[in-house]
Amino acid sequence: MKHILVLVSGNGTNLQALIDAERQSGLGNGTIAAVISDKPGAFALERAKNAGIPAFTLLPDKSLPKRERRLELSNRILAKACELKIDFIVCAGFLSILSGDIIAAYASRMINIHPSLLPKFGGQGMYGEKVHRAALDAGERESGCTVHFVDAGADTGQIILQRAIPVLSSDTPETLAERIHVQEHAAIVEAVRNMV
Ligand code: GRF
């Protein structure tokens, strides 16, 4: 079985979708071997614990400047991934930007999910409600989610799959986020099943 590591920062509904899918009909040739959060107390950690999956919190070192902070955290995640013999990494609502050796070490084996139809509404600072507000402000008629490989940029890696939904004239950032979230759960499971 391939060992999957899921990186999280928040609620972890995408993690939950993967946990449920593994339980119900498997994740291809993979199993969720560990979860790492960069935020203390993230609810995703509870979800991991409830599913009996080893969960770790690796916090960014706030005393370091931004670039060094990213690199240092990325290197600790890489060390943990090596220790746990991780084959595949899923960033599922993980807010830290990864850099350094982990990018090459897991090239084509590390994916991210983003709640827009990339390349639209991606990049640094584009997360959460901001993404959906930007899509509405731009008058988009459809939006959705993208699963892509992680590279050294923010939301710039090669696209693996997308799921689109219509934007309704009555949509608010909240309602759009909610409908896209449902699509994300299907997309992340499909991508992992196809790739591991
Ligand atoms: C999702 O919208 C995901 O696309 C983005 O962060 C959000 C995480 O949601 N990267 P959850 O924590 O999986 O519920």
Side-chain angles (χ1 to χ4, degrees):
M1 280 299 239
K2 298 263 178 70
H3 288 174
I4 301 168
L5 168 65
V6 184
L7 304 182
V8 295
S9 302
N11 188 2
T13 63
N14 282 289
L15 168 66
Q16 191 67 54
L18 290 168
I19 291 170
D20 294 345
E22 179 171 357
R23 254 195 222 134
Q24 282 152 20
S25 41
L27 281 177
N29 196 29
T31 183
I32 305 171
V35 169
I36 293 178
S37 170
D38 63 351
K39 294 261 178 336
F43 189 65
L45 291 166
E46 284 301 307
R47 296 180 189 271
K49 251 180 251 159
N50 291 340
I53 300 167
F56 307 90
T57 304
L58 298 184
L59 300 181
D61 180 346
K62 288 200 178 127
S63 71
L64 296 172
K66 201 164 166 184
R67 267 182 71 157
E68 284 78 0
R69 191 192 309 163
R70 275 183 193 165
L71 184 59
E72 193 270 341
L73 178 65
S74 300
N75 287 341
R76 271 188 287 140
I77 293 171
L78 176 58
K80 195 78 189 164
C82 292
E83 178 192 322
L84 298 169
K85 300 193 168 35
I86 295 299
D87 300 294
F88 195 84
I89 300 179
V90 181
C91 301
F94 185 62
L95 292 180
S96 293
I97 295 175
L98 295 167
S99 64
D101 291 347
I102 195 168
I103 305 292
Y106 282 90
S108 306
R109 297 191 297 149
M110 179 156 62
I111 65 173
N112 179 50
I113 180 132
H114 183 80
S116 75
L117 297 174
L118 290 173
K120 287 181 173 173
F121 316 118
Q124 214 177 322
M126 267 298 193
Y127 60 89
E129 196 202 304
K130 287 184 207 163
V131 180
H132 306 293
R133 192 171 290 285
L136 290 174
D137 287 350
E140 294 295 312
R141 299 179 63 167
E142 60 172 21
S143 190
C145 63
T146 303
V147 179
H148 63 92
F149 287 113
V150 175
D151 66 7
D155 304 323
T156 51
Q158 192 194 325
I159 292 172
I160 298 160
L161 66 90
Q162 297 187 306
R163 290 175 77 102
I165 55 161
V167 174
L168 308 177
S169 55
S170 57
D171 263 329
T172 62
E174 292 74 26
T175 60
L176 187 55
E178 209 172 294
R179 293 205 321 288
I180 289 177
H181 237 126
V182 176
Q183 300 302 318
E184 289 185 41
H185 301 156
I188 196 88
V189 168
E190 184 184 340
V192 171
R193 278 193 176 138
N194 287 341
M195 296 178 76
V196 295

